Structures are given as structure tokens and as C-alpha cells.
Amino acid sequence: MNQLADNTNKTNVEQQLGWNREQMAQRCAQDIEDGSYVNLGIGIPEKVAQYVPEGREVIYHTENGLLGMGNTPNDDELDVDLINAGKKPVTAIPGASYFHHGDSFAMIRGNHIDVCVLGAMQVSAQGDLANWSTGAVDAIPAVGGAMDLVAGVKTIYIITQHTTKSGDAKILPECTFPLTGKGVVSRIYSNLAVIDITAKGLLLTELAPGVTFDYVQSRTAVELINTL
Amino acid sequence: MNQLADNTNKTNVEQQLGWNREQMAQRCAQDIEDGSYVNLGIGIPEKVAQYVPEGREVIYHTENGLLGMGNTPNDDELDVDLINAGKKPVTAIPGASYFHHGDSFAMIRGNHIDVCVLGAMQVSAQGDLANWSTGAVDAIPAVGGAMDLVAGVKTIYIITQHTTKSGDAKILPECTFPLTGKGVVSRIYSNLAVIDITAKGLLLTELAPGVTFDYVQSRTAVELINTL
Amino acid sequence: MIDKNISSCAEAVADIKDGDTVMIGGFGEAGSPIELIHALIDQGAKNLTVINNNTGSGRVGLAALIENEQVAKMICSYPRTANSLVFPELYRNNKIELELVPQGTLAERIRAGGAGVPAFYTKTSVGTPLAKGKEIRNFEGEDYVMERGLKADFALIKAKRADRYGNLIFNKTARNFAPIMAMAATNTLVQVNQTVSLGEIDPEHVVTPGIFVNRIIEVTNPQQESQLVKSGVVYPPMRTKVGE
Amino acid sequence: MIDKNISSCAEAVADIKDGDTVMIGGFGEAGSPIELIHALIDQGAKNLTVINNNTGSGRVGLAALIENEQVAKMICSYPRTANSLVFPELYRNNKIELELVPQGTLAERIRAGGAGVPAFYTKTSVGTPLAKGKEIRNFEGEDYVMERGLKADFALIKAKRADRYGNLIFNKTARNFAPIMAMAATNTLVQVNQTVSLGEIDPEHVVTPGIFVNRIIEVTNPQQESQLVKSGVVYPPMRTKVGE
């Protein structure tokens, strides 16, 4: 494990620096283009949908068989047979379509989905992602659709706290947790910065308000290239 | 080529012996069980449908995407978008379903169709079938769905003239034409006899009226086992 | 005459044998054939391999089948859910085997099994622990892992409507795994909310053609897993703990 | 705003390049996108690899595209039909390449290409000349041949109805290869008899979800290949023979 030197008792403060959860989702949403087909992971990624700038029409895919997922239903619209991949009730927009799991993952595996936004436990300098298991011996392993999404979707965005609750770096030379996919991540939206993963290295392209490059670098176990 | 010894000028007489085309189809139809899913090849096999005994309900599959194919349409029912695998107009029965080619051949390849009735150029003692090409150098090769059907359908029945127009045997120790499939044929309905292809050999189980075992044997390039 | 309707869930599951592989439709509770699963609990077949995306929740449906120790092995993508109590305990005590499969690979393996494809290649899981021990093969400069088709002796699924030929339509995202499981099982047993006459389902709208269906049981008002879990229902009702 | 409708077949096919691979829907004339094919003839891209079950009939549609010497290679299962005049002549003169593929293998290869599967195994063609040179592999005592997924730069297909998202429904057996070709092509161009508003196609009835569709052209009264052939129509109208 990559442990940062001075992480004692800094945790909560650190995770409150920069963008909060809503703002990370909002920042990511700016990069969702008009007309894209998008799959949003459970947690903060789900929030991206509400922040996509007006005037852009985006179609949401949920891997349990719906293209054109709409908002959370009102109580009177609830249907136990209409849920998302997180098993929460959703709605379907006009122009939606239902299909079975084979077809749904054909969309994913066949490179038809433009963008998938996921959370992360660790991301490596090469864009490897670990987000399904800590590898702990007593844990019940559960992967869901994460490996299919990272292998098949054209662009993978990650929204994550820059460090773990205990202050460990999540952006590492190599992931120490079991991988979800190798070389799959394009961009990270953390609470501190926006970082692009490129062949040249990790490019810091944007800083959250009140955060410095040096500070982000000190929270990152890989050398960052400052493009600002 | 396996040439029979005394085939000169016998051709037409020989092909008129025993069952005619309608009777071969009718004989085969007796073995189509109630409730089966059946795919019928172009030519004589197509005629089987009209002879299935009353009281049996059989569902016909056509590989271009229809389960529940009905009769030939009247002129006022014609729809160029509703055809069979031979590209002839058909109808759909109540309880039919349409699907795309991927799903249609999943039915075939996945062993879901019970019976397929096809024509043959040659059948070997091991149940190898040749029915798509003579291997002639100048011919335009065309295979269609024949190889998929013989590989995937549970039971393959063959309806064929016992010998070629020139009197050559079509039931041979080995096929000399390019194969459609190896070890795929279960039963042959010829104009002369019904022959089962088994691990023990070729069992002659039925003779057409006026035909003797010895006569059939003389028209067959493989030793037959007489079960009568 | 083709009539795939039968009169009870008990009759539907009667011939499931010890050691059989059983696919069970549903993604969480959406599409879960809870009445058929409960009939399988009553029937008692043991040592089953069960294929489902999850492992059930609470102590009803699939979770109850597992709690009743009828399942030797689960093949699934996500054995944890908020109300998953039964599987984790048995798993930690080595009383149940788990084959963890990425969700899309699981779906494609089932589809392949039904389509007569014994094996295929996918990029999913390459470079991860779930590819361990599997053949890796390079096509056009990219690595892929070979995955095997999955078949089953039985599929237990739920649909919205069926005719006597077994043509099925589904309700919204309750469709999920049911159509591909229907293809991959030797015997597909379907509980439907409503049976209709031939011709009432438009041939253009059929999702699962009848050829993939063997038995239909009308269950007009199926129970809802989440309601049962919320009410603390346990199946079978008399049981309070595994083995008692 | 997503609106995949465009105004002409010419605009739809404008960026097809020399050397591209083009899937063309249809089984015989059912589902043949004849107006799109004629637009491709007008456009003139050469050296194409075309994937279709057949090779067209008469001197219109796909046959006319071949006669116009735009097709370097055909991938198909059945290049002969009653009215197939053009392909046989070019083939015998070594002016066109043929990759003959069993129909179900062709369908599965296209479906695999669209589903991100680079290769799969099938029993079809084992022991026949069409398996020659291909990898044979034994699973559970049975031999299978490895077949590769097929992709295309463009798919030209015909549907009955579309909304602006590109959701499609088809008419009867004209559906055939269109849904899988839509999946396998980078750019899927669809001529439809009718365009409708969002929501007019029931989400349960959508056959091809819009994600697989790029451009929609409404052709209200498409020509019928068999009628054109019967009337002796030649496309383009001024041509009487190849090369003139």
C-alpha cells in the first residue's frame, strides 16, 4: 500500500477540500457531450445526470436492459419491474427501449456506449482501474458489470475522492487491489483536480478552487504533469 | 463416382418406381410428431407440411426469421416482406413470431429445432450428407443455411430419389461430392425405401409398393440390413 | 396439439433432480419467479448449481432456496445485496461454492449456450483475477479471454404474458436474463401473470418465441420479494433457521 | 438534441469511401434497401467489400452495384438466385472475389462483430470444405470450427418505422439481417417507410434500439426489386452493359 507520509488525522479535512460530491458530478457533467449514450455507475456517478448542461440531449443506458432511463419516479409511478443497475426504481423516457441482458451487454462489449462514469478504489498511472475488490480474504467477491463496462465502453471517466478516508493515495504507480481493467481510464475527476491519463503521463488539467498543484501532487503517488 | 453396372436407359423408369414425389413427402410426414418444430428444405421437403396427419400440430420454422409459417398466401394476401427461405411468399399462423437472422440461427445451431427435412445429392453409410455442391470447378458455390441446419437440428431426414437421373447410386460408402455435414443424417426416404442410418449400419425398414429388397440393394452402393 | 400450460408450480418443477443445473431469471426482484422457486423448495432437489445474477435477498425466493441448503454452487456476478443474509454466511462457512462471473460475460455465456456456441472470446476481465487460468488469445493486437457457453437442465423464469405455444412478452426491465436463459435450458418453466389465446400476442412483439419454452404456469398475482422481505417473511413459513 | 433524420439517400451515403466494408440488409428482396443502394451507385465508391446473404437479382439494387464494378469482394451464403445474372458472369471472369459463408455462421459472425466478440466456435461446416484452413477445436468430445466476428464501416438497411433517436421496428421477415448489421457497423444508415415521434414506438416493441443507428432517411414508397426486375429495369437507367 502506498501510504502518504503525513496522513494522521488529516482525513476528514482533506476530503472536504476542493469540490464536494455534487460539484465533482457537476464538473464531470460538463464533459458529457450532446447526443451521447452514457452509463452511470452507482453512487456519485449517478448524480452526473442532473448536472448535464441544458440543451444537451443525453441517453442513459442501464445494463439491466433499458436505454433511455429517466428520473427517479414519484411514488405513484413506482413499478418494481422498472429499476436500474443499482436496483433502484427509475422511469423510461419517450423514445426508450427495453432489451434482454444479452443485447444490453452487446451494447457495452461492442463499443456502442460512449461514456461510462464510475467510482474507483485505485487508479494507476497507466489507467488501470481497481474498483470491485480490496482482495481481502474474508470479503464476498462481487463484480457486477464493472469489468464489462471498462472493457467495452469507449470512454471511462472516474469520479473519486482524491485519497482514501485514511489519507492513502488512490492514484498510484500500480494498483495494489485486484484490477477491474487494464489501461481503461481516460480521466479522473477528484475532489481536488481533473487529471487526464495519457501516453505521456498524468496531465493535471484543472484544479478545484483553493487547491494548488503542489498540494494535489503531495496527495498523488505518481508524478503529475502540470498543464495549467 | 460410384457408377451402377446396368444403368443404361433405365433412368426414367427407375425414378418412376415405388413412391412418387408426393408419396415420399407423405411417407416422411407420418414421422413428424405432434408438437414438433420443423424446418423443411426447398423442393420435395416443402411438400411434407401438407401431408402431416390430421390432429398433429406442427410449427414450421423458416430460417429467414419466422416461426409459425403457414400456407401459401392467396393473391390478395401477398406481402413481399413475408417469404420463406426459398424466397417464396408464405403466411404466418396465429401464434407465429418474427425474429432476426441471429436469433433464427441460434434456434438452429442451439439444437432447438426438432426435425429438418432436406434433399440430397449423396448420403454416406455414416450419415454424411452432400447436398450443396458437385464440386464442379466452374460452378458458382452456394451453401445457404444447409450446413447450419445439418449441424444444429436434432434430427435430419432426407427425401431423395434413390439414384441420380443417370442411375448412379446416391447412397455410397463415402460421399464423393463436398460434404454439407459429417454423420448428420438419421433417415432416408427414397422413392424405393425407408432407410435408417445407425451405428450398426443402414437398416432398410420399409419398402415402397412393388419394390423388393434385392432391387433396392442393387441400387445402393452400401450393404443394407433388411429388417423386414 | 401444443398446449404448454400446466396447472401448478409444483407440477412444473416436479422432475428437477439432485445435481441439476438451474438458471433462475431476475435481476434483484425484477423478474424473479418467486412462486416457482418456492415450489422448488417444497420439491426439495439438492446439490443444485444455480445461475442467477445475484443470490437473493431476505429469506424468501432464491435466498430461501440457498438457506434450505439445496444449492451446492452459485454462478453469479454479484452475490451481495443490501438484504443478502443467507449466502454470505454459507459462503464464509464453506458450505456453498461460488463461481464469480462478470455480468456481461455471464449474459453472453448463457446466450452462447442457447445458441450452440461452446466458447467465445471477450475483452472483459483480461488482466484481472477473473481471467486467471483461462486461455488468453490475441486478435489484431488485443488480448481476449476465452469463455465457455453455459447450459442448464432447467430455467425458471417469469414473464408477463404467454400463449399456449409458449410465446412470451415481458414487463420493462423484468425481462433481463429470462429470454437468454429460456434459450440455454433443456426445460424452460415460465410463470406468467396472464395467459392469452394464440394470436393475441403480435408476432412482431414476441420477445421469446415458444420454441424456447416448455411449461407455462399462470400466477396471476405473484408475490413481490421486497414486500416479503420488508414483512420479515421466511419460506417455508415454519422454518426459523437453516437446518431446523 | 438528437435527430438522426437526414434529407436524402445521397447525403446518407456521401462518406462511404473506396475500399470500405458495407453490410447490406435483406434476404432476397425482403428488407433490401434499394434506394440506399442506388444512391451508393450514384456516389460511386469503388473496391467495396459487401456483406449480404445473396448477390441481388436482375440489374437493380445490389446486382446493379456489382454490375457497376464497385464491389471487389462479396461475403455471402448464396450468390445464386433465379434472376442472378450479374454476379455469376463477373465471378467466372475473376472480376469479383467470393467468401462463401454458411448462412447461420454469417449471421453469428455479424452478431459477434456487433457484440464485441472477435471469435467464436461453431459446429457448422466441420468436416466440409468451408472449414478448410480454419482452426478446429474439440470441446467435450465434439469438433468445432473457429469463426471470426465481422464488422463493417457502413450498414445499409431498411426498416418499417423509426423515431428521431433511431429506434426501429421492421415488417415481418424483412427484419432478417438488419438488426445484427446495425450492431456491427460503425455507421448504420436506415431507409424507413415512416418516421414517427418519440414515444410512438412502444419501448417493449423496439427491435433495434437507436444506439445502433446513425442516419435515417424516410422513403415513403420504396421500389420493389421483383417489380423492377420483372419490368426489365436497369440501374442506372442509361446503362446497357457493364462498363458502357
Side-chain angles (χ1 to χ4, degrees):
Chain A
M1 294 288 304
N2 278 272
Q3 198 81 9
L4 293 173
D6 52 350
N7 66 346
T8 350
N9 295 326
K10 279 205 170 172
T11 311
N12 290 333
V13 177
E14 201 164 277
Q15 293 210 345
Q16 281 161 27
L17 273 177
W19 288 309
N20 63 24
R21 291 161 55 94
E22 302 294 324
Q23 288 166 327
M24 283 193 272
Q26 195 170 6
R27 176 59 196 81
C28 175
Q30 308 308 306
D31 297 340
I32 306 290
E33 288 176 22
D34 186 29
S36 12
Y37 291 90
V38 175
N39 183 298
L40 299 175
I42 298 170
I44 309 182
E46 280 180 274
K47 293 174 178 288
V48 168
Q50 50 190 286
Y51 293 111
V52 168
E54 240 177 280
R56 296 188 198 170
E57 195 169 29
V58 172
I59 310 273
Y60 297 100
H61 172 263
T62 180
E63 58 265 35
N64 54 316
L66 167 61
L67 195 65
M69 180 170 59
N71 295 326
T72 304
N74 302 321
D75 283 353
D76 59 337
E77 294 172 310
L78 274 182
D79 184 338
V80 292
D81 285 346
L82 181 46
I83 59 175
N84 67 12
K87 306 200 173 82
K88 290 191 202 135
V90 295
T91 52
I93 64 170
S97 53
Y98 298 110
F99 32 81
H100 62 58
H101 253 80
D103 285 345
S104 186
F105 279 88
M107 286 180 196
I108 293 171
R109 199 184 310 100
N111 281 139
H112 303 284
I113 312 275
D114 296 304
V115 175
C116 177
V117 185
L118 293 170
M121 293 170 175
Q122 298 178 334
V123 180
S124 85
Q126 295 75 40
D128 300 349
L129 172 67
N131 76 346
W132 70 283
S133 165
T134 61
V137 182
D138 62 334
I140 309 287
V143 68
M147 287 188 183
D148 308 282
L149 285 162
V150 301
V153 173
K154 290 177 199 160
T155 302
I156 303 292
Y157 290 153
I158 296 297
I159 300 184
T160 179
Q161 294 296 332
H162 204 87
T163 56
T164 68
K165 281 183 190 155
S166 52
D168 296 331
K170 295 179 107 180
I171 304 174
L172 307 168
E174 296 288 343
C175 297
T176 59
F177 292 155
L179 292 189
T180 310
K182 275 188 85 72
V184 294
V185 176
S186 291
R187 187 174 291 171
I188 302 166
Y189 304 86
S190 82
N191 57 316
L192 302 181
V194 178
I195 294 169
D196 279 352
I197 296 175
T198 74
K200 292 181 197 161
L202 299 190
L203 310 186
L204 186 145
T205 60
E206 201 170 327
L207 286 164
V211 175
T212 65
F213 176 83
D214 289 348
Y215 184 78
V216 179
Q217 181 64 78
S218 75
R219 269 47 219 154
T220 309
V222 179
E223 196 172 341
L224 298 172
I225 301 169
N226 191 350
T227 69
L228 299 175
Chain B
M1 293 290 304
N2 278 269
Q3 199 81 6
L4 291 174
D6 52 347
N7 65 344
T8 350
N9 292 326
K10 281 204 172 169
T11 312
N12 290 332
V13 177
E14 199 163 284
Q15 292 208 350
Q16 281 162 25
L17 272 179
W19 288 309
N20 64 23
R21 290 160 56 93
E22 302 295 324
Q23 287 167 328
M24 282 192 273
Q26 195 170 6
R27 176 60 195 83
C28 175
Q30 307 309 308
D31 296 340
I32 305 291
E33 287 177 22
D34 187 31
S36 23
Y37 291 91
V38 175
N39 184 298
L40 300 176
I42 298 171
I44 311 182
E46 280 180 275
K47 294 175 178 288
V48 168
Q50 48 191 288
Y51 293 112
V52 169
E54 241 180 278
R56 295 188 198 168
E57 196 168 29
V58 173
I59 310 274
Y60 296 100
H61 172 264
T62 180
E63 57 264 37
N64 56 316
L66 166 61
L67 196 66
M69 181 169 60
N71 296 326
T72 305
N74 302 321
D75 283 355
D76 60 334
E77 295 172 311
L78 274 183
D79 185 337
V80 292
D81 285 347
L82 181 46
I83 58 174
N84 66 13
K87 305 199 174 83
K88 291 193 202 131
V90 294
T91 51
I93 64 170
S97 53
Y98 298 109
F99 33 81
H100 63 57
H101 253 81
D103 285 344
S104 186
F105 280 88
M107 285 179 197
I108 293 170
R109 200 185 308 99
N111 280 141
H112 302 286
I113 312 276
D114 296 304
V115 175
C116 178
V117 185
L118 292 170
M121 293 171 176
Q122 299 177 334
V123 180
S124 84
Q126 296 75 41
D128 300 350
L129 173 67
N131 76 346
W132 69 285
S133 165
T134 60
V137 182
D138 63 333
I140 310 288
V143 66
M147 286 188 184
D148 309 283
L149 286 162
V150 301
V153 172
K154 290 177 199 158
T155 302
I156 303 293
Y157 289 153
I158 296 298
I159 299 184
T160 180
Q161 295 295 334
H162 204 86
T163 56
T164 68
K165 280 183 190 157
S166 52
D168 296 331
K170 295 178 108 182
I171 303 174
L172 307 168
E174 294 289 341
C175 296
T176 58
F177 292 155
L179 292 188
T180 309
K182 274 186 87 70
V184 295
V185 177
S186 292
R187 185 175 292 171
I188 302 167
Y189 302 87
S190 81
N191 57 316
L192 303 181
V194 179
I195 294 169
D196 280 351
I197 295 175
T198 74
K200 292 182 200 158
L202 299 191
L203 311 186
L204 187 146
T205 60
E206 202 170 327
L207 285 166
V211 175
T212 64
F213 176 82
D214 288 348
Y215 184 79
V216 179
Q217 181 64 76
S218 74
R219 271 48 220 152
T220 309
V222 179
E223 194 173 344
L224 299 173
I225 301 170
N226 190 350
T227 71
L228 299 175
Chain C
M1 162 102 175
I2 299 173
D3 189 354
K4 299 184 180 177
N5 288 289
I6 58 171
S7 56
S8 72
C9 290
E11 189 186 341
V13 303
D15 55 347
I16 301 181
K17 296 184 316 296
D18 289 359
D20 275 352
T21 295
V22 181
M23 293 179 174
I24 300 183
F27 181 85
E29 75 172 316
S32 179
I34 202 160
E35 279 74 14
L36 279 172
I37 301 171
H38 287 176
L40 178 54
I41 293 173
D42 296 345
Q43 192 259 25
K46 298 269 179 202
N47 199 26
L48 304 172
T49 293
V50 170
I51 301 168
N52 177 275
N53 189 61
N54 306 102
T55 58
S57 74
R59 299 176 65 193
V60 294
L62 174 55
L65 184 73
I66 295 169
E67 182 172 13
N68 205 33
E69 298 191 328
Q70 294 178 253
V71 183
K73 178 178 178 181
M74 278 299 312
I75 302 179
C76 72
S77 89
Y78 209 86
R80 285 192 315 242
T81 54
N83 296 302
S84 148
L85 316 162
V86 170
F87 179 84
E89 194 188 324
L90 289 172
Y91 181 74
R92 289 207 175 89
N93 295 325
N94 285 318
K95 289 195 162 174
I96 192 164
E97 194 186 339
L98 170 65
E99 181 178 341
L100 190 73
V101 181
Q103 195 175 145
T105 295
L106 181 63
E108 190 67 10
R109 289 180 64 190
I110 295 168
R111 192 263 172 200
V117 170
F120 62 92
Y121 294 89
T122 172
K123 228 189 270 186
T124 299
S125 94
V126 168
T128 80
L130 296 192
K132 217 190 258 173
K134 291 179 178 166
E135 173 180 320
I136 301 291
R137 185 156 174 165
N138 194 287
F139 294 101
E140 282 84 49
E142 297 259 16
D143 279 344
Y144 295 83
V145 59
M146 189 178 83
E147 295 282 359
R148 300 297 311 274
L150 272 176
K151 292 188 193 185
D153 300 297
F154 289 85
L156 275 50
I157 64 171
K158 183 169 146 183
K160 182 180 179 183
R161 206 165 284 159
D163 62 28
R164 69 177 167 88
Y165 285 173
N167 292 307
L168 305 180
I169 58 171
F170 298 89
N171 187 39
K172 304 188 176 76
T173 57
R175 186 183 303 195
N176 57 67
F177 284 91
I180 50 177
M181 288 180 170
M183 292 169 67
T186 308
N187 296 288
T188 294
L189 324 183
V190 191
Q191 67 170 76
V192 299
N193 292 47
Q194 190 191 13
T195 54
V196 297
S197 299
L198 284 186
E200 285 193 54
I201 304 176
D202 186 329
E204 301 279 8
H205 302 163
V206 170
V207 173
T208 291
I211 193 170
F212 298 125
V213 169
N214 300 83
R215 301 171 202 162
I216 301 155
I217 313 93
E218 193 177 51
V219 178
T220 314
N221 289 303
Q223 301 174 85
Q224 280 178 28
E225 187 180 275
S226 55
Q227 288 301 322
L228 297 179
V229 172
K230 203 186 283 177
S231 315
V233 171
V234 176
Y235 196 90
M238 296 306 291
R239 184 177 59 204
T240 54
K241 185 87 181 68
V242 174
E244 281 180 29
Chain D
M1 162 100 173
I2 300 172
D3 189 353
K4 298 183 181 176
N5 289 290
I6 59 172
S7 55
S8 71
C9 289
E11 189 186 341
V13 303
D15 56 347
I16 300 181
K17 297 187 313 298
D18 290 358
D20 274 352
T21 296
V22 182
M23 290 177 176
I24 300 183
F27 181 84
E29 76 172 317
S32 179
I34 202 159
E35 280 74 13
L36 280 172
I37 300 171
H38 287 177
L40 178 53
I41 292 174
D42 297 343
Q43 193 257 24
K46 298 266 178 205
N47 199 25
L48 303 173
T49 294
V50 170
I51 300 167
N52 178 275
N53 189 61
N54 306 101
T55 58
S57 73
R59 299 176 66 193
V60 294
L62 174 54
L65 184 73
I66 294 170
E67 182 171 14
N68 205 34
E69 299 192 329
Q70 294 179 253
V71 183
K73 178 180 178 180
M74 278 300 312
I75 302 179
C76 71
S77 88
Y78 210 86
R80 287 194 312 240
T81 54
N83 296 302
S84 148
L85 316 163
V86 170
F87 179 85
E89 193 187 326
L90 289 172
Y91 181 74
R92 290 209 174 89
N93 295 325
N94 285 319
K95 287 194 160 176
I96 192 163
E97 192 185 339
L98 170 66
E99 181 178 342
L100 190 72
V101 182
Q103 195 175 146
T105 295
L106 181 64
E108 190 67 11
R109 290 181 64 190
I110 295 168
R111 192 262 171 200
V117 169
F120 62 92
Y121 294 89
T122 173
K123 228 188 271 186
T124 300
S125 94
V126 168
T128 80
L130 296 191
K132 219 191 253 177
K134 291 180 177 167
E135 173 181 321
I136 302 290
R137 186 157 173 164
N138 195 286
F139 294 101
E140 281 84 50
E142 296 260 17
D143 279 344
Y144 296 84
V145 58
M146 189 177 84
E147 295 281 358
R148 300 297 310 276
L150 272 176
K151 291 187 192 185
D153 300 298
F154 289 86
L156 276 49
I157 64 172
K158 182 168 147 184
K160 181 179 179 183
R161 205 166 283 158
D163 62 28
R164 69 176 168 87
Y165 285 173
N167 293 306
L168 305 180
I169 57 170
F170 298 88
N171 187 39
K172 305 188 176 77
T173 56
R175 185 184 302 194
N176 56 69
F177 284 92
I180 51 176
M181 288 181 169
M183 293 170 67
T186 308
N187 295 289
T188 295
L189 324 183
V190 191
Q191 67 171 74
V192 299
N193 292 49
Q194 190 192 15
T195 56
V196 297
S197 300
L198 285 186
E200 285 191 55
I201 303 176
D202 186 329
E204 301 279 9
H205 302 163
V206 171
V207 173
T208 291
I211 192 169
F212 298 126
V213 169
N214 300 84
R215 302 171 202 162
I216 300 155
I217 314 94
E218 193 178 49
V219 178
T220 312
N221 289 305
Q223 301 174 86
Q224 280 179 28
E225 190 180 272
S226 55
Q227 287 300 321
L228 297 179
V229 173
K230 203 186 287 179
S231 315
V233 173
V234 176
Y235 196 90
M238 297 305 292
R239 185 178 57 203
T240 55
K241 185 88 182 68
V242 172
E244 283 178 29

mmCIF file of all heavy atoms in Angstrom, chain D residues 82-96:
data_model
loop_
_atom_site.group_PDB
_atom_site.id
_atom_site.type_symbol
_atom_site.label_atom_id
_atom_site.label_comp_id
_atom_site.label_asym_id
_atom_site.label_seq_id
_atom_site.Cartn_x
_atom_site.Cartn_y
_atom_site.Cartn_z
ATOM 1 N N ALA D 82 -32.602 -17.221 -58.872
ATOM 2 C CA ALA D 82 -33.247 -17.416 -60.170
ATOM 3 C C ALA D 82 -32.873 -16.293 -61.148
ATOM 4 O O ALA D 82 -32.590 -16.539 -62.310
ATOM 5 C CB ALA D 82 -34.755 -17.475 -59.985
ATOM 6 N N ASN D 83 -32.856 -15.059 -60.636
ATOM 7 C CA ASN D 83 -32.602 -13.934 -61.531
ATOM 8 C C ASN D 83 -31.233 -13.307 -61.314
ATOM 9 O O ASN D 83 -31.049 -12.112 -61.510
ATOM 10 C CB ASN D 83 -33.683 -12.862 -61.339
ATOM 11 C CG ASN D 83 -35.035 -13.389 -61.727
ATOM 12 O OD1 ASN D 83 -35.224 -13.804 -62.856
ATOM 13 N ND2 ASN D 83 -35.961 -13.396 -60.780
ATOM 14 N N SER D 84 -30.297 -14.123 -60.872
ATOM 15 C CA SER D 84 -28.978 -13.585 -60.617
ATOM 16 C C SER D 84 -28.152 -13.701 -61.896
ATOM 17 O O SER D 84 -27.756 -14.782 -62.324
ATOM 18 C CB SER D 84 -28.380 -14.390 -59.460
ATOM 19 O OG SER D 84 -27.015 -14.500 -59.555
ATOM 20 N N LEU D 85 -27.944 -12.585 -62.551
ATOM 21 C CA LEU D 85 -27.253 -12.561 -63.845
ATOM 22 C C LEU D 85 -25.858 -12.002 -63.708
ATOM 23 O O LEU D 85 -24.909 -12.429 -64.371
ATOM 24 C CB LEU D 85 -28.015 -11.656 -64.826
ATOM 25 C CG LEU D 85 -29.534 -11.820 -64.848
ATOM 26 C CD1 LEU D 85 -30.202 -10.624 -65.517
ATOM 27 C CD2 LEU D 85 -29.879 -13.121 -65.567
ATOM 28 N N VAL D 86 -25.735 -11.002 -62.871
ATOM 29 C CA VAL D 86 -24.541 -10.177 -62.862
ATOM 30 C C VAL D 86 -23.371 -10.865 -62.178
ATOM 31 O O VAL D 86 -22.276 -10.967 -62.723
ATOM 32 C CB VAL D 86 -24.863 -8.834 -62.158
ATOM 33 C CG1 VAL D 86 -23.597 -8.067 -61.921
ATOM 34 C CG2 VAL D 86 -25.866 -8.047 -62.970
ATOM 35 N N PHE D 87 -23.609 -11.343 -60.949
ATOM 36 C CA PHE D 87 -22.515 -11.919 -60.177
ATOM 37 C C PHE D 87 -21.852 -13.105 -60.878
ATOM 38 O O PHE D 87 -20.624 -13.146 -60.988
ATOM 39 C CB PHE D 87 -22.985 -12.316 -58.772
ATOM 40 C CG PHE D 87 -21.899 -12.936 -57.955
ATOM 41 C CD1 PHE D 87 -21.007 -12.141 -57.245
ATOM 42 C CD2 PHE D 87 -21.726 -14.313 -57.918
ATOM 43 C CE1 PHE D 87 -19.979 -12.712 -56.514
ATOM 44 C CE2 PHE D 87 -20.700 -14.893 -57.194
ATOM 45 C CZ PHE D 87 -19.825 -14.084 -56.496
ATOM 46 N N PRO D 88 -22.649 -14.081 -61.357
ATOM 47 C CA PRO D 88 -22.008 -15.262 -61.966
ATOM 48 C C PRO D 88 -21.029 -14.887 -63.084
ATOM 49 O O PRO D 88 -19.934 -15.452 -63.160
ATOM 50 C CB PRO D 88 -23.201 -16.056 -62.519
ATOM 51 C CG PRO D 88 -24.329 -15.687 -61.609
ATOM 52 C CD PRO D 88 -24.109 -14.232 -61.296
ATOM 53 N N GLU D 89 -21.409 -13.921 -63.898
ATOM 54 C CA GLU D 89 -20.531 -13.562 -65.017
ATOM 55 C C GLU D 89 -19.218 -12.963 -64.516
ATOM 56 O O GLU D 89 -18.133 -13.357 -64.943
ATOM 57 C CB GLU D 89 -21.248 -12.582 -65.943
ATOM 58 C CG GLU D 89 -20.526 -12.423 -67.274
ATOM 59 C CD GLU D 89 -21.123 -11.319 -68.135
ATOM 60 O OE1 GLU D 89 -22.371 -11.125 -68.069
ATOM 61 O OE2 GLU D 89 -20.352 -10.636 -68.840
ATOM 62 N N LEU D 90 -19.323 -12.027 -63.578
ATOM 63 C CA LEU D 90 -18.099 -11.408 -63.056
ATOM 64 C C LEU D 90 -17.244 -12.438 -62.308
ATOM 65 O O LEU D 90 -16.023 -12.426 -62.387
ATOM 66 C CB LEU D 90 -18.459 -10.240 -62.122
ATOM 67 C CG LEU D 90 -19.030 -8.999 -62.807
ATOM 68 C CD1 LEU D 90 -19.541 -7.998 -61.767
ATOM 69 C CD2 LEU D 90 -17.980 -8.323 -63.691
ATOM 70 N N TYR D 91 -17.914 -13.323 -61.583
ATOM 71 C CA TYR D 91 -17.178 -14.328 -60.809
ATOM 72 C C TYR D 91 -16.409 -15.262 -61.726
ATOM 73 O O TYR D 91 -15.239 -15.562 -61.497
ATOM 74 C CB TYR D 91 -18.160 -15.118 -59.934
ATOM 75 C CG TYR D 91 -17.504 -16.176 -59.081
ATOM 76 C CD1 TYR D 91 -16.762 -15.818 -57.958
ATOM 77 C CD2 TYR D 91 -17.626 -17.527 -59.387
ATOM 78 C CE1 TYR D 91 -16.158 -16.783 -57.167
ATOM 79 C CE2 TYR D 91 -17.029 -18.505 -58.601
ATOM 80 C CZ TYR D 91 -16.292 -18.121 -57.484
ATOM 81 O OH TYR D 91 -15.706 -19.078 -56.709
ATOM 82 N N ARG D 92 -17.075 -15.713 -62.788
ATOM 83 C CA ARG D 92 -16.399 -16.630 -63.729
ATOM 84 C C ARG D 92 -15.234 -15.944 -64.422
ATOM 85 O O ARG D 92 -14.262 -16.585 -64.804
ATOM 86 C CB ARG D 92 -17.404 -17.150 -64.760
ATOM 87 C CG ARG D 92 -18.411 -18.111 -64.148
ATOM 88 C CD ARG D 92 -18.921 -19.144 -65.147
ATOM 89 N NE ARG D 92 -19.774 -20.114 -64.466
ATOM 90 C CZ ARG D 92 -21.090 -19.945 -64.319
ATOM 91 N NH1 ARG D 92 -21.700 -18.890 -64.819
ATOM 92 N NH2 ARG D 92 -21.792 -20.864 -63.660
ATOM 93 N N ASN D 93 -15.332 -14.633 -64.577
ATOM 94 C CA ASN D 93 -14.240 -13.872 -65.206
ATOM 95 C C ASN D 93 -13.225 -13.355 -64.196
ATOM 96 O O ASN D 93 -12.418 -12.475 -64.520
ATOM 97 C CB ASN D 93 -14.814 -12.708 -66.020
ATOM 98 C CG ASN D 93 -15.640 -13.205 -67.186
ATOM 99 O OD1 ASN D 93 -15.323 -14.230 -67.784
ATOM 100 N ND2 ASN D 93 -16.722 -12.499 -67.492
ATOM 101 N N ASN D 94 -13.317 -13.891 -62.947
ATOM 102 C CA ASN D 94 -12.361 -13.484 -61.903
ATOM 103 C C ASN D 94 -12.342 -11.992 -61.653
ATOM 104 O O ASN D 94 -11.312 -11.414 -61.316
ATOM 105 C CB ASN D 94 -10.945 -13.944 -62.262
ATOM 106 C CG ASN D 94 -10.780 -15.431 -62.052
ATOM 107 O OD1 ASN D 94 -11.272 -15.958 -61.051
ATOM 108 N ND2 ASN D 94 -10.119 -16.103 -62.977
ATOM 109 N N LYS D 95 -13.482 -11.360 -61.841
ATOM 110 C CA LYS D 95 -13.534 -9.923 -61.611
ATOM 111 C C LYS D 95 -14.120 -9.589 -60.238
ATOM 112 O O LYS D 95 -14.262 -8.414 -59.882
ATOM 113 C CB LYS D 95 -14.377 -9.254 -62.702
ATOM 114 C CG LYS D 95 -13.663 -9.214 -64.047
ATOM 115 C CD LYS D 95 -14.362 -8.259 -64.989
ATOM 116 C CE LYS D 95 -13.429 -7.841 -66.104
ATOM 117 N NZ LYS D 95 -14.122 -6.997 -67.080
ATOM 118 N N ILE D 96 -14.499 -10.603 -59.497
ATOM 119 C CA ILE D 96 -15.028 -10.358 -58.154
ATOM 120 C C ILE D 96 -14.642 -11.540 -57.276
ATOM 121 O O ILE D 96 -14.634 -12.687 -57.734
ATOM 122 C CB ILE D 96 -16.562 -10.137 -58.177
ATOM 123 C CG1 ILE D 96 -17.065 -9.606 -56.839
ATOM 124 C CG2 ILE D 96 -17.309 -11.408 -58.582
ATOM 125 C CD1 ILE D 96 -18.455 -9.000 -56.926
#
